[in-house]
Amino acid sequence: MQSLNNMKIVPQLVFVVIFCVGQITSEQESTLYPYGASVGDKETPKEDDGASPEIESSVPFTFFGRTHKYLYVNNNGVVSFGVPVSTYTPNAFPLADGSPFVAPYWGDVDNEKSGTVYYRETTGSALLQRINEEMAKYFPNLHYKATWAFVATWDDVPYYQSLSKKTNTFQAVLHTDGKRSFIMLNYGKITWTTGGASGGNLLTGLGGVPAQAGFNSGDNTHYFNIPDSRTDNVININRTSNVDTPGRWVFQVDTFKAPGGCIFEANFARYNETFWKDDSCENKCVCNTDGEMKCTDESCPGFMVCQPSAWHFTCQISLGTCF
């Protein structure tokens, strides 16, 4: 982990200006749960690479076999268990140091001048009722009723060394019924991906090492990268979903379940999606509607060639093929 005392090295300024600031649509506003002073939220210190004080939860939260009662809300887009996280350049999951945390948008936030990071623990009936109604749509056969929730929201936060007015708004929601545990990652306005000390352009907030989204269990087995994490396309995360609600990802994390598809090597495959997992395209996999991956020996047809595609491989028509 990088220390709070580490010196940040800012890259040379590139004079390219992109006037493209996103807006929060009404649909994205509804994806975010209520937050702010009006609902009793607390705030983290307004400092670069800062974090909340240690938060002792009134209810244990089970995260892949481990029960946690102590949380930190970190300004750089992470809710961590047990220890604060000051690292500003996101690493790929799984993490070498085994740190367990949830990362709605792990990037170099600097809210010293603007933006607020809110958090609260709640058993309020209004919020829990909304969570339960939406969970019933995502997991219709689960019969789940949350009794506790923890909401962390990064509201209009800028990036480190920003020379623009670009800000991001996103949220992590942890909830449980005392036995089963879930996380929701909610996204509003997303307009930047990278801070200056992570190689980003100071005028655009793009380039360098972009933000990471997902979670890391700490056991080197259960971890997940939301598609396009640590790529330039992560700026479109508020248009993606695994529950057909743009700007929302939902996971069961006492065990490992994701509605809408399967998890394969920390990546998400939708129901009935097929791909080859090897670079010779000799092992074809399909995501079954029961959420399980099935892989069998099968090669590309003779008129197709094996090509990389995102995080896996696909059979594509050879440019030299005639029909």
Side-chain angles (χ1 to χ4, degrees):
M1 289 291 177
Q2 293 160 325
S3 167
L4 284 170
N5 298 319
N6 279 2
M7 181 71 70
K8 287 185 173 178
I9 301 174
V10 180
Q12 292 291 320
L13 180 62
V14 178
F15 289 97
V16 177
V17 181
I18 298 178
F19 294 100
C20 180
V21 178
Q23 297 295 323
I24 299 179
T25 67
S26 58
E27 184 176 29
Q28 289 167 344
E29 285 179 336
S30 66
T31 302
L32 296 168
Y33 291 133
Y35 64 88
S38 64
V39 292
D41 278 358
K42 297 179 180 179
E43 300 179 12
T44 68
K46 290 183 178 292
E47 60 186 26
D48 182 37
D49 302 330
S52 69
E54 183 180 71
I55 303 162
E56 183 176 3
S57 168
S58 62
V59 173
F61 187 80
T62 302
F63 193 56
F64 297 109
R66 298 181 184 178
T67 299
H68 300 277
K69 286 201 68 174
Y70 298 95
L71 311 174
Y72 290 86
V73 177
N74 304 274
N75 288 359
N76 287 336
V78 170
V79 176
S80 57
F81 300 102
V83 294
V85 175
S86 60
T87 309
Y88 47 83
T89 299
N91 297 308
F93 296 152
L95 299 178
D97 65 1
S99 298
F101 62 67
V102 176
Y105 204 79
W106 183 15
D108 197 357
V109 171
D110 184 1
N111 66 332
E112 286 185 290
K113 294 183 179 179
S114 68
T116 306
V117 182
Y118 295 106
Y119 63 93
R120 77 180 182 280
E121 177 186 44
T122 182
T123 57
S125 59
L127 178 65
L128 294 179
Q129 181 178 348
R130 179 175 167 184
I131 289 173
N132 291 333
E133 289 173 354
E134 293 176 337
M135 287 292 293
K137 293 188 297 183
Y138 308 145
F139 296 87
N141 300 317
L142 195 62
H143 308 294
Y144 172 81
K145 298 293 182 183
T147 56
W148 172 92
F150 185 86
V151 182
T153 308
W154 289 256
D155 181 41
D156 279 331
V157 292
Y159 54 93
Y160 180 71
Q161 291 290 314
S162 172
L163 295 180
S164 75
K165 294 183 179 180
K166 288 186 172 186
T167 61
N168 290 344
T169 298
F170 53 92
Q171 189 175 71
V173 182
L174 287 61
H175 55 87
T176 181
D177 65 356
K179 296 181 179 179
R180 294 164 293 187
S181 303
F182 291 83
I183 59 172
M184 290 181 171
L185 306 181
N186 300 326
Y187 300 92
K189 176 179 62 179
I190 300 294
T191 65
W192 63 264
T193 65
T194 320
S198 302
N201 183 294
L202 305 189
L203 287 168
T204 66
L206 305 175
V209 181
Q212 164 82 355
F215 55 83
N216 187 74
S217 69
D219 63 7
N220 208 40
T221 300
H222 300 103
Y223 54 94
F224 181 72
N225 303 300
I226 286 182
D228 297 324
S229 287
R230 298 179 83 244
T231 75
D232 294 339
N233 289 333
V234 75
I235 199 167
N236 298 315
I237 197 169
N238 58 359
R239 303 175 189 172
T240 68
S241 177
N242 68 325
V243 291
D244 294 324
T245 301
R248 172 171 291 167
W249 287 77
V250 183
F251 306 94
Q252 186 172 349
V253 294
D254 56 289
T255 183
F256 202 2
K257 294 182 181 179
C262 308
I263 305 299
F264 180 79
E265 295 180 352
N267 293 288
F268 183 71
R270 296 194 175 278
Y271 291 147
N272 299 315
E273 181 179 350
T274 61
F275 59 90
W276 279 260
K277 68 177 185 178
D278 60 306
D279 59 7
S280 59
C281 287
E282 294 181 348
N283 199 277
K284 184 179 181 180
C285 299
V286 61
C287 172
N288 293 329
T289 53
D290 60 3
E292 299 294 330
M293 295 295 307
K294 182 179 180 181
C295 299
T296 57
D297 292 339
E298 183 177 336
S299 301
C300 291
F303 61 90
M304 305 184 84
V305 294
C306 187
Q307 296 289 336
S309 177
W311 50 269
H312 53 270
F313 296 87
T314 60
C315 292
Q316 301 176 22
I317 295 175
S318 172
L319 294 178
T321 302
C322 297
F323 297 94

